[in-house]
Amino acid sequence: MSTPRNTETTAPAGLFKGTEGYRTWSIGINGGALAPVAFTGGHNDFTKWQLSYGYGAYVKWQLLHFMSLRADFLGGQLKGNNDKKLGNGSAPNSPYSQFETQLQWSGSLNAVFNVANMNFFAKRNFMQLYVSAGGGLAGYKPTITTTGNVTTDYKPNGNITEFFVPVGAGLKFKLSESVNFDIGYTMHYPDGDNLDGVPNGIGRDKYSYGYIGVEFPLGKKSKPQLAWHNPIAEMYDDLSSQRDQVKLELDAQKEANAKLAADMAKLTADSDGDGVSDMFDKCPNTPKGEKVDGAGCTLPRDTVQPKQVKIFVTEADNRLVREAIANLEFETGKASIKAASFPALDRVAELLTQKGFSIKLSGHTDNVGKAESNMILSKQRAESVKSYLVGRGVNPSKVEAVGYGQTQPIASNKTAAGRQQNRRVEFVLY
């Protein structure tokens, strides 16, 4: 079912955050028929019940979407007689022919529950099914007529006041933001057997009220009625809106990422492979391997041939290095250079840096121990000398360090003197 059109508008309520944004109070009036019978069981002490007029009014406070408290007033008339014969065709055995009860007033407080909303997935529904139950007091005055056509008051000294339990159900239609239409039926269960003026003591007296009426919400018309607001549909729409918003944000992020990727590809593109992006390359299509400047243009070629500088190593140079190497001492079984060797190595470093010489250092050991260990130790000792020289300012590319272990002896390893000669560092200065 779709929501009927009307000219009145209300502000969107949004997700439910309390009743402040809604109209919660309403009043109603109704009219209909009263009958001394209840369809769920129980009637009266006469064989035939009659329909009579009834009228009512109420004030309602909507506590939640599905629940309200309603204060009801009801008045009217109840009638019945013994015109209907019993099931065996005989007349009822009763001294009374009819009764008439004036329901002067009744007041009750009821809890009303909206058990179903038609058009359930609409934020504002237009038809509701509701049930109600509560308790109240009724004041009525029965009169009875005997078979001799004598009418008397059941209680000559005044009205009867009894407690009763009302149970009802109905349909409500939203005609506009200002008017609701109501159809309902309520059964009343008095706490006594005095309604028809014949107290049999078995609690048979019941009465019901079928009615139609109108309801008028109170408060500002700009606010929606709480009873018609559907929080489930509102939440569903809100989640759908959030989902759509997230989808839009994700799509926008994808577009931004795609644009960023395109910009990065454009920024990093280098068609001629000269190391300068096409975006900044002022000289595209330079030959492969050409040296270029920051703008991607070929650097001017140096046509001046560098002067060839000949390096001469003197005997004095060799002697200085030879003495330093001859006096080189290491920690026993280690590659650590003893401090006593530092002054001589400093002079070698000064020579190399001043004259631009290169030097090759070769480490050797005797045959004591494993060959693999000796090879490692010889290499480490040659590297220690190189590290020391580099630490004193020598260009690392000017120093080559190799290790030969015990593979190149210059004396016999069978004697202590021979082994001493084999434990050495040799050099070539060039």
Side-chain angles (χ1 to χ4, degrees):
M1 298 182 183
S2 60
T3 305
R5 297 177 179 269
N6 59 69
T7 58
E8 298 181 69
T9 60
T10 57
L15 286 180
F16 185 65
K17 297 179 181 179
T19 61
E20 184 178 351
Y22 300 88
R23 284 188 281 176
T24 57
W25 288 92
S26 59
I27 58 174
I29 56 174
N30 51 61
L34 280 167
V37 66
F39 290 146
T40 59
H43 42 87
N44 57 80
D45 297 297
F46 289 79
T47 60
K48 184 178 180 181
W49 54 271
Q50 296 175 286
L51 291 176
S52 302
Y53 67 90
Y55 51 89
Y58 62 81
V59 177
K60 188 178 73 172
W61 178 28
Q62 194 75 32
L63 297 174
L64 298 169
H65 305 86
F66 64 91
M67 178 184 177
S68 62
L69 291 179
R70 190 180 69 197
D72 286 272
F73 168 82
L74 176 63
Q77 196 175 54
L78 296 162
K79 290 181 180 181
N81 57 48
N82 280 323
D83 291 351
K84 184 179 180 180
K85 293 184 179 182
L86 300 177
N88 57 10
S90 61
N93 183 19
S94 172
Y96 304 109
S97 61
Q98 65 180 22
F99 80 94
E100 182 177 312
T101 297
Q102 189 69 33
L103 183 61
Q104 296 176 324
W105 60 269
S106 71
S108 62
L109 182 63
N110 297 273
V112 184
F113 300 91
N114 298 338
V115 297
N117 286 325
M118 308 303 148
N119 201 14
F120 189 70
F121 286 101
K123 295 180 187 177
R124 295 184 179 91
N125 306 290
F126 71 94
M127 187 170 75
Q128 295 173 346
L129 171 65
Y130 66 86
V131 296
S132 62
L137 291 175
Y140 46 85
K141 184 177 181 179
T143 60
I144 51 177
T145 301
T146 65
T147 55
N149 205 26
V150 177
T151 300
T152 59
D153 291 335
Y154 172 61
K155 292 287 186 179
N157 58 343
N159 295 338
I160 296 172
T161 301
E162 286 184 340
F163 174 79
F164 70 93
V165 173
V167 178
L171 285 174
K172 186 166 292 185
F173 300 86
K174 181 181 179 182
L175 302 182
S176 71
E177 291 295 336
S178 301
V179 182
N180 302 322
F181 180 68
D182 204 2
I183 301 176
Y185 175 77
T186 304
M187 297 170 289
H188 301 77
Y189 300 87
D191 186 24
D193 193 39
N194 300 301
L195 185 68
D196 57 9
V198 180
N200 285 331
I202 57 176
R204 298 182 64 188
D205 291 350
K206 310 288 186 294
Y207 65 99
S208 58
Y209 178 50
Y211 58 88
I212 59 175
V214 289
E215 181 182 77
F216 304 97
L218 304 178
K220 295 181 179 180
K221 292 184 179 180
S222 60
K223 294 182 179 181
Q225 301 176 51
L226 179 59
W228 295 103
H229 179 258
N230 191 333
I232 296 177
E234 194 79 47
M235 181 173 63
Y236 176 84
D237 285 356
D238 184 73
L239 291 176
S240 296
S241 176
Q242 291 184 28
R243 178 197 60 198
D244 294 342
Q245 181 62 32
V246 170
K247 186 176 183 301
L248 288 175
E249 292 176 358
L250 289 176
D251 291 343
Q253 187 62 46
K254 287 180 180 178
E255 292 180 4
N257 291 341
K259 184 177 182 302
L260 179 60
D263 291 343
M264 288 297 296
K266 184 177 180 181
L267 182 63
T268 57
D270 183 12
S271 301
D272 55 9
D274 60 0
V276 179
S277 169
D278 291 346
M279 183 178 293
F280 304 106
D281 197 340
K282 295 182 179 180
C283 300
N285 302 318
T286 54
K288 187 175 182 180
E290 286 284 332
K291 294 183 178 180
V292 298
D293 58 16
C297 298
T298 303
L299 290 171
R301 299 180 183 278
D302 187 5
T303 59
V304 179
Q305 296 293 329
K307 293 182 179 180
Q308 297 293 329
V309 179
K310 293 184 178 181
I311 299 176
F312 296 97
V313 180
T314 67
E315 179 57 30
D317 297 331
N318 280 320
R319 184 169 56 253
L320 185 149
V321 177
R322 189 182 305 112
E323 290 176 356
I325 296 301
N327 295 317
L328 186 63
E329 295 184 29
F330 294 95
E331 298 289 343
T332 303
K334 298 180 180 179
S336 303
I337 302 172
K338 290 186 177 181
S341 302
F342 292 167
L345 289 177
D346 291 341
R347 290 190 290 273
V348 174
E350 184 179 0
L351 174 66
L352 295 177
T353 55
Q354 287 181 353
K355 294 190 175 184
F357 290 157
S358 296
I359 188 171
K360 178 179 179 180
L361 300 169
S362 304
H364 302 269
T365 67
D366 57 23
N367 67 347
V368 177
K370 294 182 178 180
E372 294 83 355
S373 300
N374 289 334
M375 180 64 73
I376 294 173
L377 180 60
S378 65
K379 174 67 173 175
Q380 288 177 342
R381 285 182 171 177
E383 288 288 347
S384 292
V385 176
K386 177 179 178 178
S387 297
Y388 186 88
L389 295 175
V390 170
R392 292 299 183 271
V394 177
N395 189 333
S397 65
K398 297 287 187 177
V399 183
E400 180 183 2
V402 294
Y404 295 100
Q406 63 188 42
T407 61
Q408 296 182 7
I410 58 175
S412 174
N413 283 311
K414 294 181 179 181
T415 65
R419 289 191 295 273
Q420 177 65 33
Q421 294 180 57
N422 290 333
R423 294 193 297 269
R424 70 196 186 279
V425 173
E426 296 179 342
F427 75 95
V428 176
L429 191 64
Y430 57 95

